[in-house]
Amino acid sequence: MKVKVCGITRPEDVKLMESSKADLIGFIHIHRSARFVSLDEICKLTSSMKNKDKAVLVMETEDINEVENAVEKTGINMVQFHSLSSRDIEKFKVSHPSFKIIRSIGISPNFSPSKVDEIRNYALTCDFLLFDFEMDGKSGGTGKQIPLKDAVKAAKIARKYNSKVKLFLAGGINTTRIKNEGKTLKNVFDYVDVNSGVEEEPGIKKEDKIKEFMQVME
């Protein structure tokens, strides 16, 4: 199981992620996030990366033109969407066939038929799905964990419709969860997405927490 560390806001944390061998490094361009970084800041943060293919641009917009402008400016070719429709993602993929697309899907305790349909539609459209805890219709930034049984259920639904789709688990991921549930998670998910679980405050990663987390992931 690979590791994406999200919410990077500082150059020193970019270096820390690379030295810690994080597989993917996420930059959040969502205004409601406490870890928001502007496109100019993202360009500066990624300019020193040894491998820019590890960079992930995280966006929450329904305006495909805004997405086009952002990827052109940053030069990042992996994008994580929180609100773009499956139809618009299909259009984006036609014009950017080499890009990798992650779609975040919020998971709450009740799997309604519409949620199953949502998982199916994005599983058939995207390269990756990222399951995060859903609160008030929004996913991401809550620090809350999806219960294991619900995470596994969501993964099974996705793979029922597309056995090749890669899956992330996000939402309050930390060292304790990996120690307690890591064996099951590694059998189900391709990646974990960690953010607040390795911070001392929003957007400020803590080196000892990163090192401990990467050790338990080995």
Side-chain angles (χ1 to χ4, degrees):
M1 191 163 55
K2 297 180 180 181
V3 177
K4 172 175 174 273
V5 183
C6 206
I8 302 302
T9 64
R10 306 187 302 166
E12 55 264 47
D13 288 338
V14 173
K15 292 180 181 179
L16 175 60
M17 295 312 110
E18 291 192 312
S19 66
S20 302
K21 298 183 180 180
D23 298 285
L24 296 172
I25 302 171
F27 303 91
I28 300 176
H29 187 62
I30 298 176
H31 285 279
R32 68 180 173 90
S33 173
R35 301 162 185 87
F36 169 80
V37 279
S38 69
L39 295 180
D40 286 336
E41 290 171 322
I42 292 172
C43 290
K44 290 177 183 177
L45 290 167
T46 58
S47 64
S48 63
M49 288 181 65
K50 296 175 183 177
N51 182 1
K52 198 171 177 178
D53 286 342
K54 290 187 174 185
V56 180
L57 177 62
V58 182
M59 300 189 70
E60 183 178 72
T61 178
E62 296 179 6
D63 185 346
I64 196 167
N65 291 324
E66 186 178 341
V67 176
E68 295 278 1
N69 292 335
V71 297
E72 182 177 352
K73 182 164 186 173
T74 62
I76 294 175
N77 60 16
M78 181 176 281
V79 189
Q80 177 179 318
F81 295 117
H82 280 250
S83 56
L84 206 65
S85 69
S86 58
R87 180 175 296 180
D88 281 338
I89 288 174
E90 287 179 345
K91 291 179 182 177
F92 182 79
K93 289 183 70 176
V94 168
S95 57
H96 301 83
S98 64
F99 277 53
K100 297 297 183 183
I101 306 299
I102 306 168
R103 182 50 159 86
S104 174
I105 297 178
I107 301 297
S108 57
N110 299 315
F111 279 80
S112 64
S114 63
K115 181 60 65 176
V116 174
D117 288 344
E118 181 183 1
I119 295 172
R120 178 196 64 205
N121 291 341
Y122 287 115
L124 293 171
T125 306
C126 302
D127 304 289
F128 306 85
L129 298 185
L130 182 148
F131 297 121
D132 205 339
F133 189 89
E134 184 175 61
M135 180 182 292
D136 299 327
K138 298 286 186 180
S139 62
T142 67
K144 293 184 177 295
Q145 297 182 351
I146 303 172
L148 182 62
K149 65 179 181 62
D150 293 332
V152 171
K153 183 176 180 179
K156 287 181 177 179
I157 293 169
R159 291 225 166 92
K160 174 183 176 181
Y161 295 103
N162 181 0
S163 62
K164 295 181 179 180
V165 68
K166 300 296 184 182
L167 302 178
F168 288 77
L169 180 64
I173 299 296
N174 55 32
T175 299
T176 300
R177 181 159 202 182
I178 300 303
K179 287 179 178 178
N180 292 340
E181 301 176 348
K183 186 175 181 179
T184 299
L185 295 177
K186 289 175 182 179
N187 287 332
V188 176
F189 291 91
D190 303 285
Y191 291 80
V192 288
D193 185 305
V194 62
N195 192 339
S196 61
V198 292
E199 289 183 331
E200 56 183 67
E201 61 182 85
I204 309 299
K205 304 310 183 196
K206 193 168 178 61
E207 185 172 0
D208 59 350
K209 287 187 176 183
I210 285 287
K211 289 182 177 179
E212 182 185 16
F213 186 82
M214 297 304 287
Q215 285 175 354
V216 300
M217 287 297 299
E218 292 178 354

